[in-house]
């Protein structure tokens, strides 16, 4: 599931380069955001991109960050308690080649992490059709955002439910089957569960993300 969440290395020929400045081009801090924002909102409503700044492999929660445009306009980019940006630049802002100023020492070495996730809220039960639509939309968006490098992009095969403990798949004919698990995380794969109508979980998951495994 971690591979499904961190796509920067998979969508690019090389990992996001680290930067050692107090400010850096927004395009390096937020790779592929401009490509993602070019996908029509109606085609990407079920998915989201999240970004975090890291130091020595650790998240930096509540970091102060500001987007600075060529015109001098400054827009705060709040970082939440988990270390992810709560707000991201718009496509128009990204196309203006802005910089991001971080409230850290100028010589601190930092890196950025990109996560690709779902908009599905944690719940005990899901309509299987919505899960299928989310997986399909994810692969379409990834392909469009990756452009010529789409052949390198990972393929999302299902939905994973962190900390849900277990679950049941209910099929249209009335029979049911247990959700499979990978490293104690239940997941639903449309290709393996054709005819499913509902997914019922043992516990409300703490996070609903993508699964990119083959089984």
């Amino acid at each position: 599931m971690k591979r499904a969440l961190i796509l920067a290395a998979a969508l690019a020929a090389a990992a996001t380069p680290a930067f050692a400045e107090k400010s850096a081009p927004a395009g390096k801090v937020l790779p592929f955001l401009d490509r993602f924002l070019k996908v029509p909102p109606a085609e990407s409503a079920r998915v989201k991109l999240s970004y975090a700044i890291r130091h020595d492999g650790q998240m930096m929660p509540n970091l102060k960050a500001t987007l600075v445009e060529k015109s001098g306009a400054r827009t705060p980019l709040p970082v939440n308690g988990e270390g992810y940006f709560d707000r991201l630049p718009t496509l128009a802002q990204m196309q203006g080649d802005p910089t991001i100023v971080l409230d850290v020492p100028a010589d601190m070495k930092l890196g950025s992490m990109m996560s690709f996730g779902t908009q599905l809220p944690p719940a005990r039960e899901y309509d299987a059709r919505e899960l299928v639509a989310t997986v399909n939309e994810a692969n379409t968006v990834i392909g469009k955002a990756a452009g010529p490098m789409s052949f390198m992009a990972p393929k999302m095969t299902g939905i994973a439910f962190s900390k849900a403990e277990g679950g049941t798949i209910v099929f249209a004919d009335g029979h049911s089957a247990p959700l499979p698990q990978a490293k104690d995380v239940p997941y639903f794969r449309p290709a393996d569960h054709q005819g499913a109508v509902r997914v019922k979980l043992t516990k409300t998951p703490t996070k609903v993300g993508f699964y990119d495994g083959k089984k």
Side-chain angles (χ1 to χ4, degrees), residues 6 19 52-60 63 83 108-113:
I6 304 175
F19 51 87
I53 302 298
R54 306 211 301 178
H55 171 62
D56 288 340
Q58 301 297 315
M59 305 285 270
M60 300 188 70
L63 178 66
M108 179 179 285
K109 293 186 178 180
L110 303 174
S112 62
M113 181 186 79

Side-chain angles (χ1 to χ4, degrees), residues 9-123:
L11 290 178
T16 302
F19 51 87
E21 301 176 338
K22 188 174 182 179
S23 65
K28 289 186 177 181
V29 182
L30 308 172
F32 299 100
L33 177 59
D34 57 339
R35 297 185 186 182
F36 177 78
L37 293 175
K38 288 178 182 178
V39 178
E43 298 177 21
S44 59
R46 292 182 173 88
V47 298
K48 63 181 178 180
L49 276 183
S50 299
Y51 294 87
I53 302 298
R54 306 211 301 178
H55 171 62
D56 288 340
Q58 301 297 315
M59 305 285 270
M60 300 188 70
N62 305 312
L63 178 66
K64 183 179 179 180
T66 305
L67 184 79
V68 181
E69 300 178 58
K70 297 294 184 183
S71 65
R74 301 171 69 89
T75 303
L77 299 178
V79 176
N80 63 31
E82 294 183 350
Y84 288 96
F85 285 97
D86 272 337
R87 178 190 302 141
L88 294 172
T90 65
L91 177 59
Q93 288 174 321
M94 289 297 292
Q95 291 177 327
D97 296 323
T99 60
I100 291 180
V101 177
L102 303 167
D103 188 17
V104 297
D107 60 352
M108 179 179 285
K109 293 186 178 180
L110 303 174
S112 62
M113 181 186 79
M114 179 177 71
S115 299
F116 186 72
T118 79
Q119 294 283 11
L120 292 166

